[in-house]
Amino acid sequence: MATDVREIFVTGLKNAHAMENQALSIMKPQVARIENYPEVAAKLEQHIRETEGQITRIEGVLDSLSEDHSTLKDMALSLTGSLAALGHTVAGDEILKNSFANYAFENFEIAAYRSLITVAELGGFPAAVAPLTANLDEERAMAAWLNDNLRTVTMRFAALREAGATAKV
C-alpha cells in the first residue's frame, strides 16, 4: 500500500505543478489586458508571484522524493490555460468571464491541495504538509478576494458600459 500511496502522491504533485503552470498561463494574459480595474490587476500580479512560489514549493517536495515534474503535463495544461484566456478576449464582458473562471479555478486548486495534504498525511510524508498548506492558504485567500470583489467588479463593469466606456478589461 505504501508504494501505491507514494505513486498517488507523486502523480498528484506532478498534476499540481502542471495546474500552477496552467494558472500562470491564464493570469498573465489577463493582467496584461486590464486597464479599468487596477485592483484586479494588482491582485492578479500578487497572485502570479504567489503562484511562482507555489511552483517552487511543489518542486521542493518533488525533489525531496527524488522526483521531477512532468514537462508534458506542464506544456499541455499551459496550452489549455492560454486557450481559455484567449477565448475570453472576444467576450463583451471579458472581465466578468475572467472573474468567474478565476473563482472556479481557485476552488479547483483548493480541492487539489486539500486532497494532496490528505495523501501526504496518509502516506507518511509529513515534510510535505507545510509547503502544501502554504499553497492552500494562498489559494483560499485568492478565492476569498475574488468572491468578495465580484460585486464591485460587476458594478464597475455595468457603470463603464452604461457610460459608453470600454468595459471589457
Side-chain angles (χ1 to χ4, degrees), residues 6-169:
R6 185 184 190 286
E7 183 179 321
I8 292 167
F9 188 52
V10 169
T11 298
L13 289 167
K14 290 178 180 186
N15 290 342
H17 191 275
M19 171 184 73
E20 295 302 352
N21 277 291
Q22 181 181 22
L24 289 176
S25 71
I26 291 169
M27 290 186 292
K28 286 180 177 182
Q30 285 179 7
V31 77
R33 290 180 49 79
I34 293 176
E35 295 175 6
N36 294 316
Y37 305 85
E39 71 288 348
V40 175
K43 190 64 177 177
L44 283 173
E45 288 169 354
Q46 174 193 338
H47 198 55
I48 286 168
R49 290 187 303 275
E50 289 173 345
T51 301
E52 290 166 345
Q54 292 168 7
I55 290 169
T56 300
R57 286 186 204 113
I58 293 167
E59 288 172 351
V61 175
L62 284 166
D63 287 346
S64 74
L65 299 169
S66 299
E67 296 284 347
D68 198 7
H69 60 91
S70 169
T71 303
L72 180 60
K73 283 182 185 181
D74 288 353
M75 288 182 355
L77 287 183
S78 289
L79 176 62
T80 62
S82 295
L83 292 174
L86 181 64
H88 290 175
T89 63
V90 298
D93 58 350
E94 179 181 355
I95 191 70
L96 297 180
K97 295 269 190 310
N98 287 345
S99 296
F100 307 157
N102 291 347
Y103 183 71
F105 198 82
E106 292 304 320
N107 280 281
F108 178 85
E109 290 175 306
I110 289 166
Y113 284 118
R114 289 183 63 211
S115 179
L116 270 173
I117 291 165
T118 300
V119 176
E121 292 167 346
L122 286 172
F125 306 106
V129 173
L132 294 173
T133 300
N135 288 9
L136 174 61
D137 291 345
E138 290 170 354
E139 301 301 359
R140 283 182 170 154
M142 184 63 176
W145 188 90
L146 289 162
N147 183 59
D148 293 346
N149 286 277
L150 182 58
R151 180 175 173 81
T152 303
V153 169
T154 302
M155 290 171 53
R156 182 169 300 136
F157 172 79
L160 287 167
R161 185 81 178 255
E162 186 70 25
T166 300
K168 285 177 62 174
V169 289

